[in-house]
Amino acid sequence: MHTEMHTETPETFPRIISVDDHTVEPPHVWRDRLPAKYHDTGPRVVRAPLKEMTFVGGKFAPKMGAPGEDGPLVDWWIYEDLHRPLTRLDTAVGCSRDEIRLEGITYEQMRPGSYSVPERLADMDVNHVQSALCFPTFPRFCGQTFTEAKNRELGLLGVRAYNDWMVEEWCGPEAQGRLIPLALIPLWDAELAAQEVRRNAARGVRAVCFSEIPPHLGLPSIHTDYWDPFLRACDETGTVVAMHIGSSSKMPSTSADAPPAVGSTITFANCCFSMTDWLMSGTFERFPNLRIMYAEGQIGWIPYILERADVVWEENRGWGGVADKVRRPPSELFAGHIYGCFFDDAFGLKNLDAIGVGNVLYETDYPHSDSTWPKSREVGESQMGHLAPDVVERIVRGNAIDLLGLTADGRWPGPGAR
Protein backbone atom coordinates (compact mmCIF):
# COMPACT_ATOMS: atom_id res chain seq x y z
CA MET A 1 0.00 0.00 0.00
CA HIS A 2 1.05 3.56 -0.44
CA THR A 3 -0.22 6.94 0.69
CA GLU A 4 -1.54 9.26 -1.98
CA MET A 5 -0.11 12.78 -1.93
CA HIS A 6 -2.52 15.70 -2.00
CA THR A 7 -1.58 19.23 -3.02
CA GLU A 8 -3.58 22.03 -1.39
CA THR A 9 -5.48 24.31 -3.75
CA PRO A 10 -7.69 27.30 -2.99
CA GLU A 11 -10.99 26.22 -1.47
CA THR A 12 -13.37 27.16 -4.26
CA PHE A 13 -15.24 23.83 -4.10
CA PRO A 14 -17.67 23.28 -1.19
CA ARG A 15 -16.64 20.92 1.59
CA ILE A 16 -18.15 17.57 0.65
CA ILE A 17 -20.82 15.76 2.63
CA SER A 18 -20.55 12.17 1.39
CA VAL A 19 -23.79 10.21 1.65
CA ASP A 20 -22.13 6.89 0.86
CA ASP A 21 -18.95 5.86 2.61
CA HIS A 22 -18.35 2.64 4.53
CA THR A 23 -17.08 1.52 7.89
CA VAL A 24 -15.20 -1.73 8.39
CA GLU A 25 -16.35 -2.74 11.85
CA PRO A 26 -13.52 -3.31 14.37
CA PRO A 27 -13.42 -6.77 15.98
CA HIS A 28 -14.90 -5.67 19.31
CA VAL A 29 -18.30 -4.35 18.09
CA TRP A 30 -20.35 -7.43 19.04
CA ARG A 31 -17.88 -9.02 21.43
CA ASP A 32 -18.29 -6.05 23.78
CA ARG A 33 -22.07 -5.76 23.47
CA LEU A 34 -23.60 -9.24 23.31
CA PRO A 35 -24.50 -11.32 26.38
CA ALA A 36 -21.84 -13.81 27.43
CA LYS A 37 -23.97 -16.77 26.30
CA TYR A 38 -23.59 -15.61 22.71
CA HIS A 39 -19.84 -15.05 22.65
CA ASP A 40 -19.27 -18.38 20.87
CA THR A 41 -22.00 -17.90 18.25
CA GLY A 42 -22.22 -14.12 17.81
CA PRO A 43 -20.02 -12.20 15.34
CA ARG A 44 -16.31 -12.44 16.16
CA VAL A 45 -13.01 -12.30 14.29
CA VAL A 46 -10.53 -15.17 13.86
CA ARG A 47 -7.39 -15.43 11.75
CA ALA A 48 -7.30 -18.49 9.48
CA PRO A 49 -6.11 -19.57 6.02
CA LEU A 50 -8.06 -18.70 2.89
CA LYS A 51 -8.28 -21.77 0.68
CA GLU A 52 -10.21 -20.30 -2.23
CA MET A 53 -12.34 -17.28 -3.13
CA THR A 54 -14.35 -16.55 -6.28
CA PHE A 55 -16.70 -13.78 -7.38
CA VAL A 56 -18.37 -14.92 -10.61
CA GLY A 57 -21.87 -14.31 -11.94
CA GLY A 58 -22.52 -11.84 -9.12
CA LYS A 59 -21.92 -14.48 -6.41
CA PHE A 60 -19.18 -14.26 -3.76
CA ALA A 61 -17.86 -17.65 -2.60
CA PRO A 62 -14.95 -17.88 -0.09
CA LYS A 63 -13.65 -21.07 1.52
CA MET A 64 -11.94 -21.05 4.91
CA GLY A 65 -9.08 -23.40 5.66
CA ALA A 66 -8.36 -25.19 8.93
CA PRO A 67 -5.44 -24.04 11.13
CA GLY A 68 -2.17 -25.13 9.58
CA GLU A 69 -3.56 -25.63 6.09
CA ASP A 70 -2.03 -23.88 3.10
CA GLY A 71 -3.29 -20.49 2.10
CA PRO A 72 -2.74 -16.85 3.09
CA LEU A 73 -3.72 -15.95 6.64
CA VAL A 74 -6.83 -13.77 6.57
CA ASP A 75 -9.09 -12.19 9.20
CA TRP A 76 -12.53 -13.83 9.11
CA TRP A 77 -15.82 -12.79 10.63
CA ILE A 78 -17.47 -15.87 12.12
CA TYR A 79 -21.19 -15.84 12.99
CA GLU A 80 -23.16 -19.05 13.54
CA ASP A 81 -22.27 -21.05 10.39
CA LEU A 82 -21.10 -18.02 8.40
CA HIS A 83 -17.42 -17.56 7.51
CA ARG A 84 -16.81 -14.20 5.83
CA PRO A 85 -13.24 -12.98 5.14
CA LEU A 86 -12.12 -9.39 5.01
CA THR A 87 -11.15 -8.64 1.42
CA ARG A 88 -9.20 -6.04 -0.50
CA LEU A 89 -12.49 -4.93 -2.07
CA ASP A 90 -13.74 -3.97 1.42
CA THR A 91 -10.95 -1.45 1.75
CA ALA A 92 -9.01 -0.58 -1.38
CA VAL A 93 -8.04 3.06 -0.89
CA GLY A 94 -4.31 3.68 -0.70
CA CYS A 95 -3.60 0.87 -3.17
CA SER A 96 -2.78 1.29 -6.84
CA ARG A 97 -5.39 -0.02 -9.27
CA ASP A 98 -3.19 -2.98 -10.15
CA GLU A 99 -2.95 -3.91 -6.47
CA ILE A 100 -6.73 -4.12 -6.05
CA ARG A 101 -7.53 -7.79 -6.51
CA LEU A 102 -10.02 -10.26 -5.11
CA GLU A 103 -7.95 -11.39 -2.13
CA GLY A 104 -8.31 -11.83 1.60
CA ILE A 105 -6.59 -9.46 4.01
CA THR A 106 -6.08 -8.76 7.71
CA TYR A 107 -6.85 -5.59 9.63
CA GLU A 108 -3.15 -4.73 9.54
CA GLN A 109 -3.23 -4.81 5.73
CA MET A 110 -6.02 -2.26 5.36
CA ARG A 111 -5.90 1.52 5.63
CA PRO A 112 -6.59 2.37 9.31
CA GLY A 113 -9.20 4.95 8.29
CA SER A 114 -11.41 2.00 7.37
CA TYR A 115 -12.09 1.22 11.04
CA SER A 116 -10.47 3.95 13.18
CA VAL A 117 -12.36 7.21 13.80
CA PRO A 118 -9.29 9.51 14.10
CA GLU A 119 -7.70 8.00 11.00
CA ARG A 120 -11.00 8.30 9.13
CA LEU A 121 -11.28 12.00 9.96
CA ALA A 122 -7.71 12.52 8.75
CA ASP A 123 -8.48 10.78 5.46
CA MET A 124 -11.62 12.88 5.10
CA ASP A 125 -9.51 16.02 5.53
CA VAL A 126 -7.18 14.85 2.77
CA ASN A 127 -10.21 14.38 0.52
CA HIS A 128 -11.95 17.71 1.20
CA VAL A 129 -14.77 15.86 2.98
CA GLN A 130 -16.49 17.46 5.92
CA SER A 131 -18.97 14.74 6.94
CA ALA A 132 -19.85 11.21 5.88
CA LEU A 133 -22.71 8.72 6.18
CA CYS A 134 -21.29 5.20 6.44
CA PHE A 135 -22.84 1.88 5.39
CA PRO A 136 -21.87 -1.41 7.11
CA THR A 137 -19.45 -4.08 5.92
CA PHE A 138 -19.86 -7.32 7.89
CA PRO A 139 -23.67 -6.96 8.34
CA ARG A 140 -23.79 -6.19 4.59
CA PHE A 141 -25.54 -3.16 3.20
CA CYS A 142 -28.91 -3.55 4.92
CA GLY A 143 -28.17 -6.07 7.65
CA GLN A 144 -28.83 -9.17 5.55
CA THR A 145 -26.28 -11.06 7.62
CA PHE A 146 -28.58 -10.91 10.65
CA THR A 147 -31.69 -11.56 8.57
CA GLU A 148 -30.22 -14.81 7.26
CA ALA A 149 -29.14 -16.05 10.70
CA LYS A 150 -30.95 -18.89 12.47
CA ASN A 151 -31.27 -17.44 15.97
CA ARG A 152 -33.70 -14.51 15.82
CA GLU A 153 -33.01 -13.42 19.40
CA LEU A 154 -29.30 -13.22 18.63
CA GLY A 155 -30.02 -11.53 15.31
CA LEU A 156 -32.05 -8.79 16.99
CA LEU A 157 -29.36 -8.30 19.61
CA GLY A 158 -26.79 -8.12 16.78
CA VAL A 159 -28.75 -5.39 15.00
CA ARG A 160 -29.16 -3.37 18.19
CA ALA A 161 -25.52 -3.82 19.14
CA TYR A 162 -24.44 -2.51 15.75
CA ASN A 163 -26.71 0.52 16.09
CA ASP A 164 -25.44 1.24 19.59
CA TRP A 165 -21.85 1.07 18.36
CA MET A 166 -22.69 3.26 15.39
CA VAL A 167 -24.28 5.99 17.53
CA GLU A 168 -22.13 5.83 20.65
CA GLU A 169 -18.71 5.01 19.23
CA TRP A 170 -18.36 5.47 15.46
CA CYS A 171 -20.41 8.69 15.57
CA GLY A 172 -19.52 9.45 19.20
CA PRO A 173 -17.75 12.52 20.61
CA GLU A 174 -14.44 11.62 18.94
CA ALA A 175 -16.10 12.06 15.52
CA GLN A 176 -16.90 15.73 16.25
CA GLY A 177 -20.22 15.45 14.42
CA ARG A 178 -18.45 14.58 11.16
CA LEU A 179 -19.68 10.97 10.99
CA ILE A 180 -23.42 10.61 10.44
CA PRO A 181 -25.19 7.56 11.90
CA LEU A 182 -26.98 5.05 9.69
CA ALA A 183 -29.02 2.37 11.47
CA LEU A 184 -29.96 -1.22 10.69
CA ILE A 185 -33.35 -2.86 11.25
CA PRO A 186 -34.45 -6.47 11.83
CA LEU A 187 -35.82 -7.02 8.33
CA TRP A 188 -37.62 -10.22 9.31
CA ASP A 189 -40.21 -8.37 11.43
CA ALA A 190 -41.72 -5.06 10.29
CA GLU A 191 -43.05 -4.26 13.77
CA LEU A 192 -39.64 -4.79 15.36
CA ALA A 193 -38.15 -2.76 12.52
CA ALA A 194 -40.48 0.11 13.34
CA GLN A 195 -39.47 -0.08 16.99
CA GLU A 196 -35.79 0.10 16.05
CA VAL A 197 -36.42 3.10 13.78
CA ARG A 198 -38.14 4.93 16.63
CA ARG A 199 -35.49 3.91 19.18
CA ASN A 200 -32.76 5.40 17.02
CA ALA A 201 -34.75 8.42 15.88
CA ALA A 202 -35.10 9.35 19.55
CA ARG A 203 -31.32 9.74 19.69
CA GLY A 204 -31.02 11.75 16.50
CA VAL A 205 -30.56 9.06 13.83
CA ARG A 206 -32.16 10.19 10.58
CA ALA A 207 -31.29 7.35 8.18
CA VAL A 208 -31.87 3.60 8.08
CA CYS A 209 -30.66 0.87 5.72
CA PHE A 210 -33.15 -1.06 3.63
CA SER A 211 -33.05 -3.55 0.74
CA GLU A 212 -33.41 -2.28 -2.82
CA ILE A 213 -35.37 -5.42 -3.77
CA PRO A 214 -36.62 -7.26 -0.63
CA PRO A 215 -37.97 -10.34 -2.49
CA HIS A 216 -34.39 -11.22 -3.41
CA LEU A 217 -33.91 -11.76 0.33
CA GLY A 218 -37.04 -13.89 0.60
CA LEU A 219 -39.01 -10.96 2.04
CA PRO A 220 -42.31 -9.39 0.92
CA SER A 221 -42.20 -6.71 -1.76
CA ILE A 222 -43.16 -3.11 -1.18
CA HIS A 223 -46.34 -3.76 -3.21
CA THR A 224 -47.74 -5.45 -0.10
CA ASP A 225 -48.73 -3.77 3.17
CA TYR A 226 -46.20 -5.86 5.10
CA TRP A 227 -43.77 -2.96 5.46
CA ASP A 228 -46.36 -0.40 6.59
CA PRO A 229 -45.31 -0.33 10.27
CA PHE A 230 -41.70 0.29 9.27
CA LEU A 231 -42.59 2.87 6.62
CA ARG A 232 -44.96 4.64 9.00
CA ALA A 233 -42.18 4.91 11.58
CA CYS A 234 -39.86 6.40 8.96
CA ASP A 235 -42.59 8.77 7.74
CA GLU A 236 -43.39 10.00 11.23
CA THR A 237 -39.79 10.39 12.45
CA GLY A 238 -38.29 11.87 9.28
CA THR A 239 -36.03 8.84 8.85
CA VAL A 240 -34.61 8.43 5.34
CA VAL A 241 -34.73 4.95 3.79
CA ALA A 242 -31.21 4.40 2.39
CA MET A 243 -30.71 1.64 -0.19
CA HIS A 244 -27.22 0.72 -1.35
CA ILE A 245 -26.42 -1.23 -4.50
CA GLY A 246 -26.16 -4.89 -3.51
CA SER A 247 -28.58 -4.53 -0.60
CA SER A 248 -30.63 -7.30 -2.18
CA SER A 249 -27.67 -9.73 -1.92
CA LYS A 250 -27.92 -10.15 -5.67
CA MET A 251 -25.62 -7.98 -7.71
CA PRO A 252 -26.79 -7.61 -11.32
CA SER A 253 -25.15 -9.92 -13.81
CA THR A 254 -26.01 -11.56 -17.10
CA SER A 255 -24.89 -15.14 -16.62
CA ALA A 256 -23.41 -17.47 -14.05
CA ASP A 257 -19.99 -17.22 -15.72
CA ALA A 258 -19.92 -13.46 -16.33
CA PRO A 259 -16.76 -11.82 -14.96
CA PRO A 260 -17.13 -9.21 -12.17
CA ALA A 261 -16.53 -6.42 -14.71
CA VAL A 262 -19.98 -7.09 -16.19
CA GLY A 263 -21.73 -6.60 -12.87
CA SER A 264 -19.55 -3.62 -11.99
CA THR A 265 -20.63 -1.87 -15.20
CA ILE A 266 -24.34 -2.36 -14.53
CA THR A 267 -24.42 -1.91 -10.75
CA PHE A 268 -27.08 0.78 -11.20
CA ALA A 269 -29.56 -1.79 -12.56
CA ASN A 270 -30.99 -2.84 -9.19
CA CYS A 271 -31.54 0.83 -8.31
CA CYS A 272 -33.36 1.27 -11.60
CA PHE A 273 -35.63 -1.69 -10.91
CA SER A 274 -36.15 -0.66 -7.29
CA MET A 275 -37.04 2.95 -8.09
CA THR A 276 -39.65 1.79 -10.60
CA ASP A 277 -41.07 -0.50 -7.90
CA TRP A 278 -41.44 2.37 -5.45
CA LEU A 279 -42.89 4.78 -8.01
CA MET A 280 -45.58 2.27 -9.00
CA SER A 281 -46.35 1.00 -5.48
CA GLY A 282 -48.54 3.80 -4.15
CA THR A 283 -46.25 4.03 -1.12
CA PHE A 284 -45.67 7.76 -1.40
CA GLU A 285 -49.41 8.41 -1.56
CA ARG A 286 -49.85 6.63 1.77
CA PHE A 287 -46.71 8.02 3.43
CA PRO A 288 -46.40 11.61 2.15
CA ASN A 289 -43.33 12.48 4.26
CA LEU A 290 -41.32 9.42 3.27
CA ARG A 291 -38.00 9.95 1.47
CA ILE A 292 -35.66 7.35 -0.01
CA MET A 293 -32.13 7.47 -1.42
CA TYR A 294 -30.05 5.20 -3.67
CA ALA A 295 -26.40 4.97 -2.63
CA GLU A 296 -23.81 4.31 -5.32
CA GLY A 297 -26.51 3.97 -7.96
CA GLN A 298 -25.30 6.95 -10.03
CA ILE A 299 -27.81 9.26 -11.72
CA GLY A 300 -27.37 9.21 -15.50
CA TRP A 301 -30.08 6.56 -16.01
CA ILE A 302 -32.79 8.44 -14.09
CA PRO A 303 -34.18 10.78 -16.81
CA TYR A 304 -35.23 8.02 -19.16
CA ILE A 305 -36.81 5.90 -16.43
CA LEU A 306 -38.88 8.91 -15.32
CA GLU A 307 -39.90 9.58 -18.93
CA ARG A 308 -40.91 5.97 -19.50
CA ALA A 309 -42.71 5.70 -16.13
CA ASP A 310 -44.76 8.80 -16.91
CA VAL A 311 -45.75 7.41 -20.31
CA VAL A 312 -46.79 4.07 -18.78
CA TRP A 313 -48.74 5.84 -16.04
CA GLU A 314 -50.52 8.06 -18.57
CA GLU A 315 -51.19 5.52 -21.29
CA ASN A 316 -51.36 2.15 -19.55
CA ARG A 317 -52.54 2.75 -16.00
CA GLY A 318 -56.00 1.35 -16.78
CA TRP A 319 -54.62 -2.15 -17.22
CA GLY A 320 -51.27 -1.61 -15.52
CA GLY A 321 -52.54 -2.14 -11.99
CA VAL A 322 -51.74 1.36 -10.70
CA ALA A 323 -54.81 3.48 -11.52
CA ASP A 324 -56.26 3.17 -8.02
CA LYS A 325 -53.06 3.83 -6.05
CA VAL A 326 -50.71 6.08 -8.04
CA ARG A 327 -52.53 9.40 -8.28
CA ARG A 328 -49.79 11.60 -9.73
CA PRO A 329 -47.22 11.19 -12.51
CA PRO A 330 -44.21 9.18 -11.31
CA SER A 331 -41.87 12.07 -12.14
CA GLU A 332 -43.73 14.23 -9.59
CA LEU A 333 -43.43 11.52 -6.98
CA PHE A 334 -39.72 11.27 -7.71
CA ALA A 335 -39.23 15.00 -7.27
CA GLY A 336 -40.77 14.94 -3.81
CA HIS A 337 -39.44 11.69 -2.42
CA ILE A 338 -36.36 10.20 -4.13
CA TYR A 339 -32.64 11.05 -4.14
CA GLY A 340 -30.00 9.68 -6.48
CA CYS A 341 -26.40 9.48 -5.26
CA PHE A 342 -23.29 9.57 -7.43
CA PHE A 343 -19.52 9.70 -7.12
CA ASP A 344 -18.55 9.93 -10.82
CA ASP A 345 -21.26 10.64 -13.36
CA ALA A 346 -20.46 13.34 -15.91
CA PHE A 347 -23.37 12.30 -18.13
CA GLY A 348 -25.88 12.62 -15.31
CA LEU A 349 -24.60 16.07 -14.42
CA LYS A 350 -24.95 17.19 -18.03
CA ASN A 351 -28.60 16.17 -17.81
CA LEU A 352 -29.24 17.55 -14.34
CA ASP A 353 -32.28 19.55 -15.42
CA ALA A 354 -34.06 16.29 -16.30
CA ILE A 355 -33.33 14.90 -12.83
CA GLY A 356 -33.70 17.90 -10.53
CA VAL A 357 -31.09 19.84 -8.61
CA GLY A 358 -32.83 19.02 -5.34
CA ASN A 359 -32.75 15.26 -5.93
CA VAL A 360 -29.01 14.66 -6.29
CA LEU A 361 -26.41 13.88 -3.62
CA TYR A 362 -22.62 13.49 -3.80
CA GLU A 363 -20.55 10.65 -2.35
CA THR A 364 -16.96 9.38 -2.23
CA ASP A 365 -17.44 5.63 -1.51
CA TYR A 366 -14.42 5.50 0.82
CA PRO A 367 -12.76 2.97 1.24
CA HIS A 368 -14.06 0.88 -1.68
CA SER A 369 -12.39 0.29 -5.03
CA ASP A 370 -14.84 2.66 -6.76
CA SER A 371 -13.88 5.45 -4.38
CA THR A 372 -12.64 8.74 -5.80
CA TRP A 373 -10.47 9.25 -2.66
CA PRO A 374 -8.26 11.26 -2.39
CA LYS A 375 -9.44 13.21 -5.43
CA SER A 376 -13.18 13.59 -4.86
CA ARG A 377 -12.89 17.38 -4.98
CA GLU A 378 -10.99 17.25 -8.27
CA VAL A 379 -13.58 14.87 -9.77
CA GLY A 380 -16.37 17.14 -8.62
CA GLU A 381 -14.69 20.27 -9.94
CA SER A 382 -14.12 18.61 -13.30
CA GLN A 383 -17.66 17.30 -13.72
CA MET A 384 -19.55 20.24 -12.17
CA GLY A 385 -17.59 23.06 -13.81
CA HIS A 386 -20.54 23.98 -16.05
CA LEU A 387 -22.93 24.41 -13.10
CA ALA A 388 -23.66 27.59 -11.17
CA PRO A 389 -21.97 27.83 -7.72
CA ASP A 390 -25.30 27.65 -5.86
CA VAL A 391 -26.20 24.45 -7.74
CA VAL A 392 -22.84 22.89 -6.89
CA GLU A 393 -23.35 23.86 -3.25
CA ARG A 394 -26.69 22.06 -3.15
CA ILE A 395 -25.38 18.89 -4.77
CA VAL A 396 -22.18 18.65 -2.76
CA ARG A 397 -23.64 19.46 0.67
CA GLY A 398 -26.89 21.46 0.82
CA ASN A 399 -29.26 18.66 -0.15
CA ALA A 400 -27.57 16.30 2.32
CA ILE A 401 -27.90 18.85 5.11
CA ASP A 402 -31.63 19.13 4.48
CA LEU A 403 -32.22 15.41 3.99
CA LEU A 404 -30.25 14.20 7.01
CA GLY A 405 -31.10 16.99 9.43
CA LEU A 406 -27.54 18.24 9.80
CA THR A 407 -26.47 21.57 11.24
CA ALA A 408 -25.92 24.52 8.93
CA ASP A 409 -22.20 23.73 8.87
CA GLY A 410 -22.87 20.11 7.88
CA ARG A 411 -22.40 18.20 11.14
CA TRP A 412 -24.55 15.62 12.87
CA PRO A 413 -26.11 17.43 15.86
CA GLY A 414 -25.64 14.41 18.12
CA PRO A 415 -27.85 12.07 20.18
CA GLY A 416 -31.28 13.47 20.92
CA ALA A 417 -31.19 16.00 18.09
CA ARG A 418 -34.24 16.06 15.81
Side-chain angles (χ1 to χ4, degrees), residues 22 25 32 156 167 173 191 218 244 249 278 339 352 394 413:
H22 298 265
E25 301 81 15
D32 291 355
L156 181 59
V167 172
E191 293 285 354
H244 195 284
S249 293
W278 283 80
Y339 296 78
L352 187 61
R394 288 189 66 182

Side-chain angles (χ1 to χ4, degrees), residues 268-290:
F268 71 91
N270 281 351
C271 298
C272 174
F273 300 156
S274 175
M275 189 179 83
T276 306
D277 241 1
W278 283 80
L279 289 173
M280 298 300 188
S281 69
T283 302
F284 300 126
E285 304 282 356
R286 294 183 294 117
F287 301 104
N289 300 312
L290 188 66

Side-chain angles (χ1 to χ4, degrees), residues 163-182:
N163 291 338
D164 291 345
W165 169 79
M166 168 64 61
V167 172
E168 299 165 5
E169 192 170 330
W170 183 251
C171 301
E174 193 175 33
Q176 305 166 37
R178 298 180 60 191
L179 295 173
I180 307 163
L182 176 61

